[in-house]
């Protein structure tokens, strides 16, 4: 397996620290608001990674966390805690806010075909470990105390700027980015935040430095090393974490635990750009898995869509692109089910020839820094290639489905003849057509009928409303 390591700025070979086992940690959600389709992309990459390693026969421990304290509105060291602010806004407790959005995130992960994490630690369950790590840093002279709390002194870690290629002199010259008085360097960061004098926060704990709460970065260092060991193989997150969050995780962990490099491979998922999408604020819409379902798009179509871009490239989201992925997924399922049913579901690994070549090409793409667009083009070839027998086609698709997770073994044929009125995509188009007819916009109504006809679907208007049948 070859993966791109952000720290070395190169694609490197994965050499598990413990032969046969790979430990992966991914920065999880801050559970104060819905986790958007963008957030889900940063969970998709480690799911694909994990599934590929499992298919390779490796033992994988996957940890991702729930940030339920410490992440400030500014992403830096000033401002309110995001959870605290959400609780104040809604009148709920911090625990209620966190539980609600954790549930949404966990449900959406499942709907997108992601495996359950082996461990899902919450920052608030790891206070002793976080406090211990801050105390270790203090004992080793890496911290200083100011009214706001305990800060990490970046001048005590010569390698601080290396991870993200920062220019600390330039940062110092351009001055403070937040309003924390007494911070010695703009890059210094909070390890422990003191509760303001005379006020009580919803979430606060006693510590050797008085009542307060942990800084955002320390939780990931404390939880990952507690669950995966002092060193582990792969740490992942979104690209926005490189300059601050992960730079700080590296600094505090390497200083506290005396290891370098702490984690050999750091993988960062690029953004899903939501710019082009119209979000209906009046409906309280943010772009989440439910938004797709309301549009008649199957959640797994979004998984298919994510496979179409490499995780290190930005990806542009639009409903039309995900609709196109939905159509492509249905075609793929149709081919898979036809091949599967032709051979009674039996999987026989290909022994040679074109089938073996295609199988190798799929895994070569996955092992090449998770080149999912290339792997998907192999899958499309497999689905249609006239040279393959149904047995070969099914064997290859079932094999690829270990990573794809489209549920091909259980799927039913989406193109089987019969009534498809209740199919979510069709139902949506029928509703659009009805609305157009009611608005006397017959051109649009006819266009929708033609589009459905092009997909092999015929509409019959009955006294009970339109029915759709696949030819
Ligand atoms: P947060 O809940 O803000 O802590 O974010 C959780 C994860 O989602 C982080 O790893 C972010 O980098 C990632 N993330 C946030 N927005 C996007 C986006 N539009 N595309 C991809 N990843 C994102
Ligand atoms: Zn983190």
């Amino acid at each position: 397996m070859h993966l791109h390591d952000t720290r070395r700025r190169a694609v490197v070979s994965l050499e598990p620290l413990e032969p046969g086992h790979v430990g992966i940690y991914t920065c999880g959600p801050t559970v104060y608001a819905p986790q958007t389709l963008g957030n889900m992309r940063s969970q998709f990459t480690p799911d694909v990674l994990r599934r590929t390693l499992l298919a390779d026969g490796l033992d994988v421990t996957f940890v991702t966390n729930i940030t339920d304290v410490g992440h400030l509105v500014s992403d830096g060291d000033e401002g309110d805690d995001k959870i605290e602010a959400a609780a104040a806004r809604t009148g709920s407790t911090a625990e209620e806010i966190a539980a609600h959005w954790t549930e949404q995130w966990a449900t959406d992960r499942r709907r997108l075909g992601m495996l359950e994490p082996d461990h899902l630690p919450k920052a608030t369950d790891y206070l002793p470990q976080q406090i211990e790590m801050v105390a270790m840093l203090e004992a080793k002279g890496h911290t200083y105390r100011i009214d706001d709390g305990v800060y990490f002194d970046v001048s005590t870690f010569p390698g601080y700027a290396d991870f993200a290629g920062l220019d600390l002199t330039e940062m110092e010259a351009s001055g403070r980015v937040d309003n924390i008085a007494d911070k010695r360097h703009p890059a210094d960061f909070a390890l422990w935040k003191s509760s303001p004098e005379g006020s009580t926060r919803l979430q606060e704990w006693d510590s050797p430095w008085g009542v307060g709460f942990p800084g955002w970065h320390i939780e990931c260092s404390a939880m990952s090393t507690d669950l995966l060991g002092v060193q582990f193989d792969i740490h992942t997150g979104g690209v926005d974490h490189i300059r601050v969050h992960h730079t700080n995780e590296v600094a505090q962990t390497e200083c506290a635990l005396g290891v370098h490099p702490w984690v050999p491979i750091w993988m960062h998922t690029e953004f899903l750009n939501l710019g082009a999408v119209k979000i209906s604020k009046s409906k309280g819409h943010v772009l989440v898995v439910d938004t797709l379902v309301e549009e008649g798009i199957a959640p797994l179509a979004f998984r298919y869509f994510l496979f179409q871009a490499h995780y290190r490239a930005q990806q542009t989201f639009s409903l039309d692109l995900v609709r196109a992925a939905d159509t492509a997924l249905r075609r793929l399922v149709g081919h898979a089910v036809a091949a599967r049913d032709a051979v009674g579901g039996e999987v026989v690994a290909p022994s040679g020839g074109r089938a073996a070549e295609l199988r190798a090409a799929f895994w070569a793409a996955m092992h090449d820094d998770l080149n999912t667009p290339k792997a998907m083009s192999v899958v499309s070839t497999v689905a249609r290639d006239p040279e393959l027998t149904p047995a070969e086609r099914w064997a290859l698709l079932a094999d690829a489905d270990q990573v794809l997770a489209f549920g091909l073994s259980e799927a039913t044929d989406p193109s089987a003849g019969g009534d498809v009125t209740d199919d979510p995509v069709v139902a949506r188009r029928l509703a659009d057509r009805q609305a157009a007819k009611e608005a006397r916009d017959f051109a649009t109504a006819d266009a929708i009928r033609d589009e459905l006809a092009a997909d092999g679907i015929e509409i019959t208007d009955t006294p009970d409303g339109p029915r759709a049948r696949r030819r």
Side-chain angles (χ1 to χ4, degrees):
M1 172 64 104
H2 286 80
L3 298 167
H4 184 268
D5 171 31
T6 303
R7 187 178 59 88
R8 283 175 278 180
R9 297 167 181 78
V11 174
V12 299
S13 167
L14 168 67
E15 309 289 348
L17 296 168
E18 177 196 323
H21 175 265
V22 180
I24 307 172
Y25 182 88
T26 295
C27 292
T30 306
V31 284
Y32 71 104
Q35 283 287 306
T36 65
L37 295 175
N39 296 129
M40 298 320 275
R41 191 181 186 204
S42 70
Q43 284 280 326
F44 170 75
T45 304
D47 187 69
V48 171
L49 170 68
R50 182 181 176 195
R51 285 176 172 280
T52 305
L53 296 173
L54 288 171
D56 288 343
L58 291 159
D59 182 19
V60 181
T61 307
F62 175 68
V63 182
T64 186
N65 72 297
I66 298 291
T67 295
D68 56 354
V69 69
H71 194 167
L72 305 187
V73 174
S74 68
D75 261 12
D77 296 316
E78 66 171 336
D80 242 345
D81 181 305
K82 290 183 177 188
I83 306 256
E84 195 101 358
R89 220 171 27 243
T90 58
S92 310
T93 65
E95 290 74 17
E96 284 164 351
I97 298 277
H100 178 78
W101 295 117
T102 300
E103 183 57 31
Q104 178 253 336
W105 173 82
T107 305
D108 285 357
R109 275 183 100 266
R110 281 192 281 276
R111 294 204 282 180
L112 295 176
M114 298 182 195
L115 295 171
E116 296 297 310
D118 294 307
H119 301 276
L120 183 59
K122 294 197 288 186
T124 51
D125 286 338
Y126 277 76
L127 260 294
Q129 292 88 338
Q130 295 177 72
I131 289 171
E132 187 191 337
M133 205 170 223
V134 178
M136 285 164 94
L137 289 166
E138 186 170 56
K140 292 186 176 184
H142 291 291
T143 67
Y144 58 90
R145 287 167 75 164
I146 56 179
D147 285 348
D148 189 63
V150 180
Y151 273 73
F152 185 92
D153 179 350
V154 299
S155 72
T156 66
F157 180 50
Y160 183 81
D162 298 349
F163 185 78
L166 301 177
D167 183 344
L168 291 183
T169 319
E170 201 275 326
M171 261 173 107
E172 193 151 26
S174 53
R176 220 183 280 304
V177 287
D178 54 31
N179 290 315
I180 307 295
D182 317 324
K183 233 167 101 158
R184 295 182 191 162
H185 188 282
D188 291 349
F189 57 93
L191 295 164
W192 185 264
K193 295 270 292 181
S194 304
S195 289
E197 195 108 15
S199 73
T200 308
R201 291 170 37 87
L202 289 176
Q203 302 196 98
E204 56 182 19
W205 294 265
D206 213 358
S207 82
W209 316 282
V211 174
F213 62 103
W216 171 37
H217 317 297
I218 197 76
E219 64 172 78
C220 287
S221 296
M223 295 187 286
S224 62
T225 55
D226 189 76
L227 291 162
L228 291 167
V230 169
Q231 288 177 289
F232 54 90
D233 301 287
I234 304 171
H235 194 314
T236 90
V239 280
D240 52 331
H241 285 160
I242 298 172
R243 290 175 63 85
V244 179
H245 185 53
H246 288 168
T247 289
N248 293 349
E249 273 191 50
V250 168
Q252 69 205 1
T253 315
E254 297 204 352
C255 289
L257 305 179
V259 286
H260 178 80
W262 169 38
V263 175
I265 297 182
W266 288 80
M267 292 170 66
H268 289 99
T269 303
E270 258 294 352
F271 273 124
L272 179 67
N273 292 324
L274 308 174
V277 167
K278 186 170 171 287
I279 296 169
S280 162
K281 284 213 195 69
S282 59
K283 283 190 189 163
H285 260 178
V286 282
L287 223 42
V288 291
V289 173
D290 266 339
T291 317
L292 302 179
V293 174
E294 281 163 25
E295 292 290 330
I297 301 171
L300 282 181
F302 183 65
R303 186 175 173 97
Y304 189 105
F305 166 80
L306 291 176
F307 272 112
Q308 292 174 313
H310 190 259
Y311 75 93
R312 283 197 288 127
Q314 295 193 357
Q315 189 174 17
T316 300
F317 177 90
S318 80
L319 286 174
D320 280 344
L321 288 169
V322 185
R323 267 194 203 100
D326 195 295
T327 305
L329 174 59
R330 280 159 198 271
R331 289 211 183 100
L332 172 62
V333 171
H335 290 298
V337 170
R340 182 194 72 197
D341 293 351
V343 297
E346 202 188 339
V347 177
V348 185
S351 52
R354 174 128 181 96
E357 260 167 46
L358 287 166
R359 184 179 193 275
F362 176 83
W363 292 109
M366 294 310 299
H367 290 146
D368 177 15
D369 193 27
L370 307 181
N371 190 340
T372 58
K374 198 162 172 193
M376 286 311 271
S377 80
V378 177
V379 168
S380 299
T381 304
V382 169
R384 281 154 232 260
D385 195 307
E387 277 182 45
L388 296 177
T389 64
E392 287 172 327
R393 195 183 323 283
W394 172 237
L396 293 181
L397 293 176
D399 184 45
D401 204 38
Q402 293 176 81
V403 172
L404 302 177
F406 294 146
L408 299 181
S409 299
E410 309 86 48
T412 50
D413 183 356
S415 65
D419 196 292
V420 287
T421 310
D422 296 330
D423 172 289
V425 174
V426 176
R428 176 79 210 179
R429 302 303 286 146
L430 290 179
D432 288 348
R433 177 170 166 271
Q434 283 308 98
K437 280 171 87 174
E438 273 155 35
R440 308 192 68 72
D441 176 1
F442 298 111
T444 300
D446 287 348
I448 293 172
R449 173 190 285 275
D450 293 346
E451 279 165 30
L452 286 170
D455 282 344
I457 295 165
E458 266 166 10
I459 303 175
T460 317
D461 287 303
T462 76
D464 299 329
R467 306 298 305 172
R469 279 190 74 77
R470 219 179 263 281
R471 281 195 297 273

